Amino acid sequence: MDELRMVAELLDEGGPSPRVTAAGREGLHRLAHPAVDEVETRRAGRLGRLVRRPFRIGLGLGLVATAAATAVAIAALGSGGVPGTDGEATLREDGAKQMVLAAATQAERQTDDRFLVTHSRHCHAEPVRAKTGNYFVQPCDEMWRWQARDRANDSAIWSRELPARPQTAEDENLWKRAGSPTTFPYHDNPKALPKLYRTKPTPWKEDTHNRNDNEKGFFLMGLGRTMTAQELQNLPTDPKELEKVLTKPEPAPMPSRNPRVRRYSMPTGPGQKIVEMGSAVSGLPLPPKVWAAFIRMLADTPGIQAVGRVTDPLGRPGVALEAARTGGPMNKTSLERIIFDPKTGALLAEVSTFVKAEDNERNYRPGTVTSYSANIETRWTGSRPTSPKRG
């Protein structure tokens, strides 16, 4: 009997109990009607580099499942723990963690090759102001990338834009009432970028200026570090040792001259670790045993909880870890989730779900998936890749 099957038998197949569901709904209602003093400040910041993260067009089953799970998680955050009795919570969390660790075991059994190919989708919820009622659209872009495992300065990137569409059925109705516009501005600076997002897609195009963009090594986004190919391949396979290498030194806080910016704190909490380390290594050609160690490292991090079986934004089954993250723009609290393929341990998606904010300037609804990244395909090949399939 393989490990995944053994772990699966540890878990209760049923969903959350009626009491847990009711608590989640109560939590959502409470967060949807915050006290006035919780939203008295305004979001600050200047227009900088736009980072678009990966959302499937429309609210699919994967996102419905995410919203339902978030309702339960919000109830847990509100009560300071996992809903249910202590015994139930321990059994569920232990069983869920075993599923994630089983995925790590599957990950280290995979084999690598000369080139890593990744096809990813990045989406976010963008608010749109309209006289007939504000709504959200969902801009998405995709990236197709290959890179050599054993050397830097050997990679290529293609990208394309997907049609921006209303996020939910309610948003679609409001979009139609607004005249079904085909372009949408950047919310934070609509005058500078009045038509940043469009309902018309763009074809695949190579980003020629990013050809061999890793000439100086492999950049660990989120940690601000660059590693050589040799250093990357020699990363430790022990989770604790890997954590030491990947841990980002805490810089001394730099005071801002902008009085509004000073109101916001740096993102903290175990969810920040998911964001930082996930963005640092998720696209790198790591050896399978190192990737397995990464999964185990996150699973053993205090404050990060395993949630067992989930569905990712593209509707695929997975196993997940999640934790709260607080601070940053709007001083918001979000639930950060990272999802793995139970059969291979590969990264399926990273999802950020809104819980609450001191300054909800974007008017996010509790339970809104504000952004996600999904790996549509991740594969190793011995032959130099050419370009993504058209269509």
Side-chain angles (χ1 to χ4, degrees):
M1 185 181 295
D2 62 54
E3 290 178 86
L4 286 178
R5 186 175 176 185
M6 292 173 63
V7 170
E9 290 181 356
L10 294 174
L11 298 179
D12 178 6
E13 294 288 347
S17 67
R19 178 167 58 83
V20 170
T21 302
R25 288 174 178 167
E26 181 182 352
L28 283 172
H29 178 79
R30 183 173 64 254
L31 293 174
H33 300 84
V36 173
D37 59 357
E38 291 181 355
V39 290
E40 61 183 1
T41 58
R42 302 296 295 169
R43 181 174 183 262
R46 58 189 176 84
L47 180 65
R49 179 183 177 186
L50 296 177
V51 180
R52 301 181 188 175
R53 292 186 59 190
F55 219 93
R56 185 171 67 176
I57 305 304
L59 187 65
L61 286 175
L63 298 179
V64 171
T66 298
T70 301
V72 176
I74 289 174
L77 288 174
S79 63
V82 178
T85 67
D86 291 341
E88 289 175 346
T90 301
L91 286 173
R92 285 184 177 274
E93 186 172 350
D94 286 350
K97 183 175 180 178
Q98 290 304 314
M99 294 189 74
V100 174
L101 294 178
T105 298
Q106 297 301 315
E108 68 183 356
R109 291 174 177 172
Q110 306 303 307
T111 57
D112 56 12
D113 213 319
R114 188 178 177 189
F115 298 97
L116 176 66
V117 178
T118 54
H119 177 191
S120 57
R121 181 175 298 175
H122 314 274
C123 306
H124 72 276
E126 182 73 12
V128 179
R129 298 187 182 96
K131 295 180 179 178
T132 52
N134 298 339
Y135 57 94
F136 286 89
V137 293
Q138 188 175 276
C140 297
D141 64 82
E142 290 188 352
M143 181 177 71
W144 192 88
R145 177 181 186 179
W146 63 260
Q147 51 190 324
R149 173 186 60 81
D150 56 353
R151 61 184 177 278
N153 200 29
D154 194 4
S155 63
I157 297 175
W158 279 258
S159 62
R160 67 177 178 181
E161 301 290 327
L162 299 182
R165 291 283 188 262
Q167 188 179 22
T168 67
E170 179 183 354
D171 292 322
E172 184 173 9
N173 290 334
L174 290 168
W175 169 67
K176 290 178 179 178
R177 286 175 56 185
S180 303
T182 58
T183 61
F184 310 99
Y186 176 52
H187 176 270
D188 293 0
N189 199 332
K191 291 184 178 180
L193 298 167
K195 299 180 179 181
L196 181 61
Y197 308 112
R198 303 172 183 272
T199 57
K200 185 178 179 179
T202 63
W204 283 112
K205 182 178 180 181
E206 182 180 1
D207 300 330
T208 53
H209 63 286
N210 282 327
R211 167 72 75 160
N212 300 329
D213 66 330
N214 61 343
E215 60 180 344
K216 296 181 180 180
F218 295 90
F219 182 66
L220 279 65
M221 185 180 299
L223 300 181
R225 297 174 55 190
T226 299
M227 288 187 172
T228 66
Q230 192 64 40
E231 288 173 331
L232 203 66
Q233 296 305 305
N234 290 337
L235 282 170
T237 57
D238 178 85
K240 292 183 179 179
E241 294 302 315
L242 181 64
E243 183 176 21
K244 292 178 183 178
V245 175
L246 296 182
T247 298
K248 179 182 179 181
E250 290 296 333
M254 297 293 292
S256 172
R257 297 180 181 179
N258 188 323
R260 295 180 300 172
V261 171
R262 288 200 296 267
R263 297 180 182 180
Y264 303 133
S265 60
M266 294 294 292
T268 59
Q272 175 63 9
K273 188 169 185 176
I274 292 177
V275 172
E276 276 189 356
M277 294 199 173
S279 63
V281 305
S282 61
L284 298 179
L286 296 177
K289 290 185 177 181
V290 174
W291 179 250
F294 171 75
I295 298 174
R296 294 180 179 121
M297 178 197 71
L298 287 183
D300 289 337
T301 299
I304 295 181
Q305 293 186 329
V307 291
R309 295 187 183 92
V310 299
T311 303
D312 85 340
L314 302 185
R316 300 171 297 184
V319 294
L321 299 168
E322 68 181 16
R325 176 178 184 250
T326 303
M330 302 194 304
N331 274 340
K332 70 176 181 180
T333 297
S334 60
L335 196 64
E336 304 299 329
R337 173 176 286 187
I338 186 166
I339 306 173
F340 306 100
D341 186 330
K343 295 181 180 180
T344 66
L347 176 66
L348 290 181
E350 296 172 79
V351 183
S352 181
T353 304
F354 178 79
V355 176
K356 63 179 180 179
E358 292 181 9
D359 173 20
N360 191 6
E361 190 267 346
R362 287 185 161 231
N363 295 315
Y364 288 134
R365 299 176 286 259
T368 296
V369 175
T370 55
S371 65
Y372 82 75
S373 300
N375 282 346
I376 298 172
E377 178 188 35
T378 303
R379 62 181 174 88
W380 292 94
T381 178
S383 304
R384 182 179 298 277
T386 54
S387 61
K389 295 180 180 178
R390 305 297 168 176

